[in-house]
Amino acid sequence: MLWGELRRQAKSLESEIDLKLTEFGKVGSSSLGGSSYNRTPHITQSSSGKSYGDLCNDIENLLQRLNQVNDKMSEHFSGPDQGNVSQQHIAKRHREILFDYSQDFKRMKTNFNNARMREDLLSSTYRVQNIPQTNKPPEATRLLIEEQKSLLHADKMLSDRLSAATAIRSALKSQHHVLKATTNSLLNMRAQFPLVNKVLNRVDWRKKRDSIIIGAVIGCCLLFLLFYLFH
């Protein structure tokens, strides 16, 4: 398959995955909306009529298809026509986008499952707390309920910390991509312009020469100092 066709497929799948993830996040949020004390979580439907489970299956299928397209891009470089540096960089970028989408999908599923579990616990706690006075639970049950509340609070704090860490990781990854792109541009320029490459090599050699000279001077000074001290 031609490189242009592979790239069009990758872009199309990435756009579709992005839309599905947005819809997936909205469905997951609305599934746990409302009061958690009078009902258990239920799975709502998206604007397109698809349920949470259907969207999960769709996104997993799209991610698998995008992974197959990325594999074909990699095979493109292993054949006779190995492509240029720009194409290799584009293929690597598509692979990174696939990784980011996969991580976002896993994070959304994990957050939804944790929220649903938390809502189940809160709902059961509310039902126990509203038992009539004559049917109050024993002391052991009360202690379990208090421990459950503590665990829920700790879980919420941990979720907040993970969200902050995810945001920091995304910012660092963005900076990494910028620096990497700059480095690749400089390397391409160095390869395309022999004169620039020659100048850079001379600069490197002068740096090494200066380091050697400084090291030699320091070594001589140390030798003279030792000679002066012991004679």
Side-chain angles (χ1 to χ4, degrees):
M1 187 177 293
L2 296 177
W3 171 260
E5 180 64 24
L6 289 173
R7 190 175 179 188
R8 280 192 295 272
Q9 288 184 10
K11 285 185 175 181
S12 176
L13 288 171
E14 287 167 0
S15 299
E16 194 171 353
I17 291 172
D18 188 60
L19 292 175
K20 291 287 185 182
L21 285 176
T22 302
E23 189 176 6
F24 184 74
K26 291 179 180 178
V27 172
S29 300
S30 61
S31 298
L32 297 170
S35 174
S36 60
Y37 303 114
N38 54 13
R39 63 175 179 85
T40 56
H42 64 278
I43 304 301
T44 60
Q45 290 187 338
S46 65
S47 57
S48 61
K50 291 194 174 183
S51 67
Y52 184 87
D54 292 336
L55 283 174
C56 281
N57 294 332
D58 289 347
I59 294 173
E60 288 173 354
N61 183 40
L62 289 172
L63 290 173
Q64 185 177 4
R65 288 170 57 190
L66 181 57
N67 185 53
Q68 292 173 354
V69 173
N70 286 335
D71 290 340
K72 290 180 181 178
M73 284 184 174
S74 300
E75 293 174 359
H76 178 77
F77 299 118
S78 62
D81 184 13
Q82 296 184 356
N84 53 37
V85 177
S86 176
Q87 289 179 343
Q88 293 177 4
H89 178 71
I90 291 172
K92 190 172 184 180
R93 178 57 184 156
H94 283 299
R95 181 72 65 179
E96 291 172 350
I97 291 173
L98 171 62
F99 177 78
D100 291 339
Y101 281 151
S102 299
Q103 292 299 109
D104 289 342
F105 178 55
K106 291 178 182 177
R107 177 178 54 81
M108 287 181 181
K109 285 182 65 177
T110 301
N111 289 342
F112 174 78
N113 292 332
N114 291 339
R116 183 165 57 180
M117 185 182 301
R118 182 164 57 245
E119 191 166 342
D120 285 337
L121 291 173
L122 288 173
S123 179
S124 62
T125 301
Y126 177 79
R127 287 195 297 269
V128 172
Q129 288 177 342
N130 283 272
I131 296 176
Q133 295 292 327
T134 55
N135 297 324
K136 273 196 170 182
E139 182 68 15
T141 304
R142 186 183 65 80
L143 293 176
L144 287 175
I145 292 173
E146 292 179 356
E147 184 177 358
Q148 188 180 70
K149 290 180 180 179
S150 300
L151 290 174
L152 289 173
H153 180 67
D155 179 70
K156 184 177 182 302
M157 292 182 62
L158 181 60
S159 298
D160 294 340
R161 298 296 184 275
L162 288 175
S163 298
T166 302
I168 294 173
R169 175 179 172 273
S170 299
L172 291 175
K173 184 179 288 186
S174 177
Q175 293 179 3
H176 171 72
H177 290 330
V178 172
L179 292 174
K180 197 168 187 180
T182 304
T183 303
N184 290 334
S185 299
L186 291 175
L187 291 175
N188 291 336
M189 184 182 298
R190 182 173 180 176
Q192 293 175 1
F193 299 98
L195 182 60
V196 175
N197 189 21
K198 189 175 181 180
V199 172
L200 292 176
N201 288 333
R202 285 186 177 180
V203 171
D204 291 339
W205 163 244
R206 288 187 178 181
K207 287 182 179 179
K208 293 178 181 178
R209 185 188 63 184
D210 293 342
S211 299
I212 293 172
I213 293 173
I214 292 173
V217 171
I218 293 174
C220 292
C221 292
L222 289 175
L223 288 176
F224 285 133
L225 180 61
L226 292 174
F227 180 79
Y228 177 77
L229 290 175
F230 293 102
H231 289 80

